[in-house]
Amino acid sequence: MSTEDVLHDASTLASYNVLLQVMFRVLTFLLNAFTLRFVSKELIGVVNVRLTLLYSTIVFLSREAFRRACLSGGANHSWKQVINLLWLTLPLGVLWAVLLVCVWLWFLEVPDAQSVPYYSPAVVLFALGGVQELLAEPLWVLAQAHMFVRLKVVSESLAMIAKCSITVVLVVFARDWGLYIFAAAHCVYTGFLVICYAAYFVRFLGSKEAYMKGFPLQSPLIDWTLARLTWSFFKQSFLKQILTEGERYVMTFLNVLSFGDQGVYDIVNNLGSMVARFVFLPIEESFYIFFAKVLERGRDVRSQKQDEMAIAAEVLECLLKLVLVIGLIITVFGYGYSYLALDIYGGSLLSSGTGPSLLRCYSSYVLLLAVNGITECFVFAAMSQKQVDKYNLIMLGLSVSFLLLSYVLTWWAGGVGFILANCLNMGLRILHSVVFIHHYFKSSQWKPLRGLVPSPLLILALGVSAVVTALSEFAFCCSHGWLFRLIHVAVGGVCLCFVLVTVYVTETQLVHFVQTQLSMSRDYIIS
């Protein structure tokens, strides 16, 4: 497969993933808005923070290292060896589930049984849901490596629809079930994923397409080079999980916020991260596969194929500019519209108190999230195993400092302290990645880090928009009725159009890149 084909497939996968994430977030958004009117915020806090953290910890520690290693090199592996290696995620998941269930049941504060009933069975069911999802892991990696993009969209869409349907029905007709409602819906979600992937591959493996792609190949039991790389990423996955979910660990183990405050923080966090999950995460996942296929891991830029390297450098520059522009827009408009968004979504429960301050801070954090996602997806695809092991030590230091900062800053500034600690941590990770990329391309003619420098006119347009929307919020929002709120929204719409026109005029390379990739993805969907 040529580099252009890989880029086309990665762009298509990113487009599908964006659509999938939009659907997920909209459904989750509506589901949270619905359930807030039927269950307590304490119940929401336990589900969205403590139980979700249990599930995400089990699946992340069990599969992330395998995903990183097995997707390196794309479809060029011996897939029988890869599948044999990937089945190790299941016993590893069972081990983590047993250990973490014991911690969640015996070492953490148990919520009040009146406001949060059936806590212990829900912990077990959420852990079982995580183990159940790992049954589909070999098939998921196989599908990602060969760009079976429709499979992911269909399976995860069906699973999410089933989960939301079960939740709504049980919340309305069996409200007394408490945490059983969310545990049952979670198990239905993971079960649907497994069934969809299994059904697809049962049909696929007997087809001519499977024969053409070489499923499976006769080979030794395990590729030990891949296994050693997996071990390196496995050590890293502990630290990355702490950095990714650190505030939830601090909330869970140190009780710095009440269950009710955790619920409010999680809702604000979900609102603030909507665009990050809509756009940035799908781009990061899809283009990690692109870079992993195009780059030869551990080789410097002069040892790579130069035509492929030119495409990779151009893609990296355009991706950096894309996420930078989106992140800056979110930061600018997030300040003037945080209060309005929270007031519409959750009423005074969210808009009074620290909610608006949390969302404004999170809007700035999204910019760092955006840049870090792209820089790290390139770095992790280019690093040698030795460099990955060295980076693990850096992440160890970052993890310890992040946990300390989270505790201290939360004690000082409440929920805002979590976001400030995340900003500092993300800034250090970006610095490391930028230094790596600079050294990687230093001896070549390519300078992809130019993507981190916006045009002066764009900076001016964003600055003007920030001032105008802040003044509009002061003048029109949000105690003067819906007419003035609509005026505030209209002012923001005009400013946003002004910024987008400026982007179109000044960032011509970015506009051409986006138009090209969208056109290719549209042609693929039509075909």
Side-chain angles (χ1 to χ4, degrees):
M1 185 181 290
S2 68
T3 304
E4 289 81 4
D5 291 336
V6 175
L7 176 58
H8 168 245
D9 287 345
S11 300
T12 304
L13 181 59
S15 301
Y16 273 115
N17 282 342
V18 168
L19 293 174
L20 188 64
Q21 289 297 327
V22 168
M23 189 201 74
F24 275 16
R25 292 307 124 190
V26 169
L27 286 176
T28 304
F29 181 88
L30 296 174
L31 187 63
N32 282 337
F34 178 80
T35 54
L36 273 172
R37 285 149 177 80
F38 288 89
V39 300
S40 66
K41 64 180 183 180
E42 285 77 17
L43 194 69
I44 293 293
V46 171
V47 172
N48 289 352
V49 176
R50 183 174 287 192
L51 296 181
T52 301
L53 179 64
L54 171 65
Y55 158 74
S56 67
T57 302
I58 291 171
V59 296
F60 190 91
L61 294 181
S62 302
R63 73 187 183 191
E64 179 67 12
F66 292 88
R67 288 185 172 186
R68 290 284 184 182
C70 294
L71 287 174
S72 299
N76 299 322
H77 294 307
S78 169
W79 283 105
K80 184 176 181 181
Q81 292 178 325
V82 172
I83 291 172
N84 289 339
L85 183 63
L86 285 167
W87 279 121
L88 294 177
T89 58
L90 189 59
L92 190 60
V94 172
L95 176 63
W96 281 119
V98 171
L99 291 175
L100 293 174
V101 164
C102 292
V103 172
W104 257 243
L105 291 179
W106 298 335
F107 293 94
L108 297 181
E109 176 190 359
V110 176
D112 178 62
Q114 295 298 319
S115 58
V116 185
Y118 308 115
Y119 171 73
S120 296
V123 168
V124 175
L125 287 173
F126 264 78
L128 285 176
V131 173
Q132 181 175 246
E133 187 173 338
L134 294 174
L135 289 169
E137 189 60 21
L139 304 181
W140 185 94
V141 171
L142 205 60
Q144 288 290 103
H146 291 85
M147 302 293 182
F148 296 165
V149 290
R150 290 192 180 96
L151 171 60
K152 181 176 182 180
V153 173
V154 171
S155 59
E156 295 192 15
S157 299
L158 290 175
M160 191 64 183
I161 291 170
K163 176 182 177 180
C164 291
S165 302
I166 293 294
T167 303
V168 169
V169 170
L170 293 181
V171 162
V172 173
F173 296 106
R175 203 178 310 173
D176 294 338
W177 286 20
L179 290 177
Y180 273 130
I181 297 171
F182 301 94
H186 178 72
C187 289
V188 167
Y189 171 79
T190 58
F192 257 83
L193 284 178
V194 174
I195 291 170
C196 288
Y197 274 92
Y200 179 86
F201 275 95
V202 165
R203 182 194 64 82
F204 173 77
L205 289 176
S207 67
K208 291 183 179 179
E209 184 182 358
Y211 178 78
M212 296 290 290
K213 289 179 178 289
F215 287 92
L217 298 178
Q218 296 299 320
S219 56
L221 185 63
I222 287 178
D223 183 340
W224 289 104
T225 301
L226 206 60
R228 286 190 291 271
L229 182 60
T230 301
W231 174 242
S232 295
F233 279 120
F234 179 74
K235 291 180 287 185
Q236 186 187 102
S237 64
F238 284 93
L239 307 173
K240 189 173 181 181
Q241 176 68 0
I242 291 175
L243 295 175
T244 303
E245 302 279 10
E247 70 270 20
R248 296 175 186 268
Y249 287 113
V250 173
M251 280 189 278
T252 298
F253 287 92
L254 300 180
N255 299 319
V256 292
L257 296 177
S258 68
F259 289 121
D261 289 339
Q262 288 179 28
V264 173
Y265 177 87
D266 184 75
I267 292 170
V268 172
N269 178 69
N270 285 335
L271 281 173
S273 64
M274 282 180 74
V275 176
R277 297 175 188 272
F278 283 175
V279 180
F280 302 145
L281 183 60
I283 291 175
E284 178 186 347
E285 290 179 346
S286 303
F287 281 92
Y288 171 76
I289 297 174
F290 166 75
F291 289 128
K293 285 187 173 184
V294 170
L295 303 177
E296 295 188 45
R297 183 180 293 278
R299 293 192 175 186
D300 61 32
V301 68
R302 289 170 296 185
S303 303
Q304 305 281 353
K305 296 178 181 178
Q306 294 303 292
D307 55 339
E308 295 185 352
M309 199 68 245
I311 296 175
E314 181 185 359
V315 169
L316 177 58
E317 181 179 350
C318 291
L319 289 177
L320 288 174
K321 182 62 65 70
L322 176 63
V323 299
L324 179 72
V325 169
I326 296 173
L328 286 171
I329 290 173
I330 293 169
T331 300
V332 167
F333 289 90
Y335 184 86
Y337 291 88
S338 291
Y339 183 94
L340 179 60
L342 290 176
D343 196 57
I344 292 174
Y345 182 59
S348 60
L349 175 68
L350 299 180
S351 61
S352 61
T354 61
S357 298
L358 282 171
L359 192 53
R360 289 185 181 115
C361 291
Y362 205 97
S363 298
S364 300
Y365 173 55
V366 166
L367 174 60
L368 299 176
L369 268 177
V371 175
N372 180 70
I374 298 302
T375 53
E376 280 197 346
C377 89
F378 177 87
V379 168
F380 289 153
M383 278 181 170
S384 65
Q385 181 184 334
K386 184 177 180 181
Q387 289 171 321
V388 172
D389 289 333
K390 183 178 179 181
Y391 184 58
N392 289 342
L393 297 177
I394 297 174
M395 291 193 76
L396 176 61
L398 288 174
S399 301
V400 173
S401 62
F402 172 66
L403 291 176
L404 291 175
L405 274 173
S406 295
Y407 181 74
V408 173
L409 292 177
T410 304
W411 175 78
W412 172 63
V416 174
F418 283 127
I419 301 174
L420 294 177
N422 272 312
C423 288
L424 292 172
N425 158 59
M426 205 61 66
L428 292 174
R429 290 168 65 177
I430 291 172
L431 178 62
H432 171 270
S433 297
V434 166
V435 170
F436 179 92
I437 294 171
H438 172 73
H439 285 296
Y440 189 85
F441 286 99
K442 185 167 60 175
S443 60
S444 72
Q445 72 269 33
W446 302 296
K447 307 296 178 187
L449 291 177
R450 289 180 301 189
L452 293 176
V453 183
S455 67
L457 284 177
L458 178 57
I459 295 175
L460 178 62
L462 288 166
V464 171
S465 298
V467 173
V468 171
T469 52
L471 292 175
S472 174
E473 182 184 38
F474 178 77
F476 302 118
C477 192
C478 289
S479 58
H480 305 297
W482 276 101
L483 177 61
F484 286 92
R485 292 186 179 196
L486 291 175
I487 294 174
H488 180 47
V489 172
V491 170
V494 172
C495 290
L496 180 60
C497 290
F498 174 56
V499 171
L500 293 178
V501 169
T502 306
V503 171
Y504 187 83
V505 172
T506 61
E507 303 293 352
T508 53
Q509 182 185 7
L510 172 63
V511 172
H512 175 72
F513 174 79
V514 172
Q515 288 176 336
T516 302
Q517 302 311 315
L518 288 177
S519 175
M520 293 167 63
S521 299
R522 184 172 59 251
D523 293 342
Y524 177 85
I525 293 171
I526 292 173
S527 64

